[in-house]
Amino acid sequence: AEELLAIHDDGDVTALELAPDRNTLAIGHADGTTRLWPLDQATFDAVQPGPKADGPVLRLQFDPKTRYVYAHTATGVVAVPRSGPPAVSAKIPGTPVAIA
């Protein structure tokens, strides 16, 4: 856990999720930021940005083909492509149990 905190020091790590293809680790933070860590890259390479949520990330989720990343918060879910967040993220309001 200490290594993950060193990756991003703007907030505590609140959620982790390994992608179905086992090549990417999603890291969620209390400040709403998320990072995507490609596990096949060197540890000194930059971690990629993930979805930006409007509150603490409670859970992270990938779709089965690892094309999209979902950041769950207390007020909804932010969805973005795994390849990087678009200029405007899609937000699904409410508290869904799962995204399918």
Side-chain angles (χ1 to χ4, degrees):
E2 290 179 21
E3 290 97 13
L4 293 176
L5 290 174
I7 292 171
H8 181 73
D9 56 7
D10 289 346
D12 291 334
V13 172
T14 56
L16 296 171
E17 178 68 20
L18 185 60
D21 65 7
R22 304 214 181 281
N23 284 332
T24 303
L25 177 66
I27 307 159
H29 299 275
D31 65 359
T33 59
T34 61
R35 299 288 184 251
L36 302 176
W37 186 5
L39 299 175
D40 60 351
Q41 77 177 18
T43 57
F44 51 80
D45 287 343
V47 178
Q48 301 169 355
K52 175 66 175 155
D54 59 357
V57 178
L58 303 176
R59 183 167 56 123
L60 292 159
Q61 185 179 357
F62 288 91
D63 73 301
K65 295 189 179 192
T66 316
R67 292 178 297 181
Y68 295 92
V69 182
Y70 304 95
H72 296 254
T73 69
T75 61
V77 177
V78 177
V80 300
R82 176 183 171 188
S83 59
V88 177
S89 300
K91 180 169 182 181
I92 304 164
T95 53
V97 176
I99 300 294

